[in-house]
Amino acid sequence: MFLRLKPGPDSLEVYSEGSQVEDMAEALINGGMLRWARERRALDHSQLSKKTKISIEQLRQWEEEISFPPFSKAELLANVLKIPFGFLFLSNPPSDASPIPDFRTVDGKSFGNPSPDLLSVISQARTKQEWYREYSEGNGAPTLAFTGVLNMESGVDDVANAISEAVGINDQARLSVNSSAAFLKLLSEAAQEAGILVLRSGVVGRGNPSRLSVSEFRGFALADPYAPLVFINSRDAPAAQVFTLVHELAHIWINRTGIIDL
C-alpha cells in the first residue's frame, strides 16, 4: 500500500500495491531543457512524436510548461533523447564541449562540438578506464613502461618500431592471418596483452541504440600510465580499423589523449 500527499482538504490519498503512482505524479521538468534535448538530437516535434507515441500538441505544452509530463513519460523522453533523466530538471544546458582534446579536422577545419553519441561513448570509456586504473593501483600493479616514453618530436620510425616491439607487429604476424579482420583481432589481443584496453563498438545506448558515425570519428585514445585505452569505431571497414588501432596506439606511446579522425 502507498500513501501520497496532495494539496486540498483531502490531503492524503491511499493507493493499493501495484497502482501507477508515478504515472499520476507530474515531473516538474524545465521545458527549455526538453526543447534543448530535442533540438540537440536534430528532431522536430513530429519526429519526436513518432518515436515516443506522444502527441505533438502534448510535446509543445510540456516545452512551454503549460503542463508537465508524468514521470513515466519524462523518463521515456530522456531515454529517446539519450540524456540522463536529471538533465530535464536543470536550469541551463550542460556544455557539449568534448571532455578530451579534439584533433578531428576536415580540410583543416574542426568538426566543432561532438555529437551526443560520441560524448556518451567517451563517458562510458572513461568510466571503464577509471575502474581498471583503480583496480590496478589497488593491486599494486606498476605503471606501464611504454606510456609516454616518446613525444611529438620523436621520429615516425622510432614510434613505429616501439609499438611493433611491444605488440608483435612483424612479418610473421602478418603471414599468420589471411584477412584484415583477422589481423585486427590479432593486434587487438596483442595490445590487450601488453596492458592496453581496446574497445570496439559501432553503437551506443541500450534498448534503442544509435549507430556511431564513421564520418564523425574513427577512434580515440585515452592515455594513462596504468590503464591506457583505445576505442575503435567498428562501423568502419576492417582495414581502416587496423589503421585506426595503430594510429591510436601511437597516441598512447606519446601520451596524447584525444579524438582523432584519420
Side-chain angles (χ1 to χ4, degrees):
M1 183 174 291
F2 299 95
L3 300 179
R4 178 189 173 200
L5 291 173
K6 69 171 188 176
D10 299 323
S11 59
L12 186 64
E13 291 184 343
V14 181
Y15 298 91
S16 62
E17 187 173 357
S19 64
Q20 301 298 315
V21 177
E22 285 192 349
D23 284 342
M24 303 181 70
E26 291 181 335
L28 303 181
I29 65 171
N30 180 342
M33 287 300 301
L34 176 57
R35 183 182 303 108
W36 166 81
R38 175 178 58 78
E39 293 175 347
R40 182 171 177 259
R41 298 297 306 182
L43 297 173
D44 58 26
H45 289 106
S46 176
Q47 292 168 319
L48 183 56
S49 177
K50 290 179 181 179
K51 288 178 176 291
T52 59
K53 309 301 182 185
I54 299 171
S55 72
I56 294 175
E57 180 58 30
Q58 189 70 82
L59 292 171
R60 292 184 189 277
Q61 288 188 17
W62 293 344
E63 287 188 3
E64 296 171 9
E65 297 185 11
I66 296 173
S67 62
F68 296 93
F71 271 92
S72 61
K73 296 298 184 183
E75 290 172 343
L76 172 63
L77 287 166
N79 181 55
V80 170
L81 295 172
K82 301 188 186 304
I83 60 170
F85 179 55
F87 275 24
L88 291 175
F89 298 88
L90 296 177
S91 299
N92 297 294
S95 171
D96 264 349
S98 171
I100 63 177
D102 191 343
F103 302 129
R104 300 167 302 159
T105 57
V106 174
D107 297 330
K109 297 181 180 179
S110 173
F111 265 98
N113 287 339
S115 71
D117 291 336
L118 177 51
L119 290 173
S120 294
V121 170
I122 293 173
S123 176
Q124 292 170 14
R126 293 182 76 178
T127 298
K128 291 181 173 68
Q129 182 186 51
E130 288 167 6
W131 180 91
Y132 193 72
R133 183 196 303 119
E134 290 178 3
Y135 174 82
S136 298
E137 288 183 296
N139 285 275
T143 58
L144 299 174
F146 53 79
T147 57
V149 296
L150 301 173
N151 55 51
M152 290 293 291
E153 305 305 318
S154 301
V156 173
D157 288 343
D158 292 335
V159 178
N161 290 334
I163 295 173
S164 296
E165 182 178 351
V167 301
I169 303 177
N170 51 41
D171 290 338
Q172 183 179 355
R174 294 188 182 93
L175 292 173
S176 69
V177 294
N178 57 11
S179 69
S180 296
F183 192 47
L184 174 64
K185 182 175 184 293
L186 179 72
L187 291 184
S188 297
E189 292 174 349
Q192 293 191 124
E193 283 292 325
I196 300 166
L197 300 174
V198 179
L199 307 180
R200 295 176 57 242
S201 182
V203 298
V204 62
R206 297 179 180 179
N208 184 28
S210 298
R211 293 184 176 186
L212 298 177
S213 171
V214 174
S215 63
E216 180 182 25
F217 84 108
R218 287 186 162 97
F220 58 82
L222 302 178
D224 185 89
Y226 285 97
L229 182 148
V230 166
F231 183 92
I232 302 170
N233 187 341
S234 64
R235 296 197 60 77
D236 215 348
Q241 290 183 56
V242 171
F243 193 93
T244 297
L245 174 55
V246 177
H247 185 98
E248 306 300 353
L249 290 177
H251 275 255
I252 300 300
W253 259 256
I254 64 175
N255 201 34
R256 291 288 295 269
T257 286
I259 311 167
I260 301 96
D261 180 76
L262 304 182

